[in-house]
Amino acid sequence: MQLPQSSQSASPRAKCAVLLLIICCLLSTIRILREAPNPAHLSQDDISKRSDQRFAAAKSRLPASGVIGYIGESGNSSTPDYYLTQYALAPLVVDRSSHHAIVIGNFPLSRPSDLPPNLRLVEDCGSGVLLLAGEDAK
């Protein structure tokens, strides 16, 4: 039994295009492999370590679980600072609101001159971390 032979074969131009595509893909893969960092030389991220150290004093004075409020600086670093605070204080839930009995203040760049009127300073834990008491808790 013979297989039917195709009457049309790929043109030399199409063969060159496919070959060129394969070569480009291989070159791209080689470049990615060369530029990728060596896993043996990667160091652990120090940002989370520093955040844990900044909040260590405050964490020892906070309850082991529950929900606390959060206030911090505004600007480009406000969201990353908030997430680092959540990470450092876990398993506490950190709500981005000042309407809680306990509120953590995160001001790594400069301490605020005025706090919101519903908050009073309980303790300055250093490194821009403040423990605050909320007067109008939920």
Side-chain angles (χ1 to χ4, degrees), residues 67-71 95-103 118-119 134-138:
V67 180
I68 63 169
Y70 174 87
I71 62 168
D95 181 27
R96 206 169 196 170
S97 165
S98 63
H99 302 289
H100 292 276
I102 302 171
V103 178
N118 65 320
L119 298 176
E135 296 172 359
D136 58 345
K138 290 181 185 177

Side-chain angles (χ1 to χ4, degrees), residues 38-54:
N38 183 350
H41 293 87
L42 293 177
S43 63
Q44 186 176 0
D45 187 7
D46 289 336
I47 293 173
S48 60
K49 279 185 182 177
R50 284 183 289 176
S51 182
D52 286 345
Q53 291 169 351
R54 281 187 64 228

Side-chain angles (χ1 to χ4, degrees), residues 13-98:
R13 192 175 197 170
K15 288 180 183 178
C16 284
V18 170
L19 183 62
L20 183 63
L21 176 68
I22 291 171
I23 290 171
C24 288
C25 289
L26 289 174
L27 288 174
S28 176
T29 303
I30 290 170
R31 182 184 60 82
I32 289 171
L33 291 174
R34 283 178 128 183
E35 293 176 4
N38 183 350
H41 293 87
L42 293 177
S43 63
Q44 186 176 0
D45 187 7
D46 289 336
I47 293 173
S48 60
K49 279 185 182 177
R50 284 183 289 176
S51 182
D52 286 345
Q53 291 169 351
R54 281 187 64 228
F55 287 97
K59 189 171 184 174
S60 67
R61 291 167 180 78
L62 292 170
S65 63
V67 180
I68 63 169
Y70 174 87
I71 62 168
E73 294 174 342
S74 59
N76 292 340
S77 68
S78 64
T79 301
D81 287 343
Y82 172 65
Y83 289 135
L84 285 170
T85 304
Q86 286 182 318
Y87 177 81
L89 298 179
L92 278 171
V93 176
V94 180
D95 181 27
R96 206 169 196 170
S97 165
S98 63

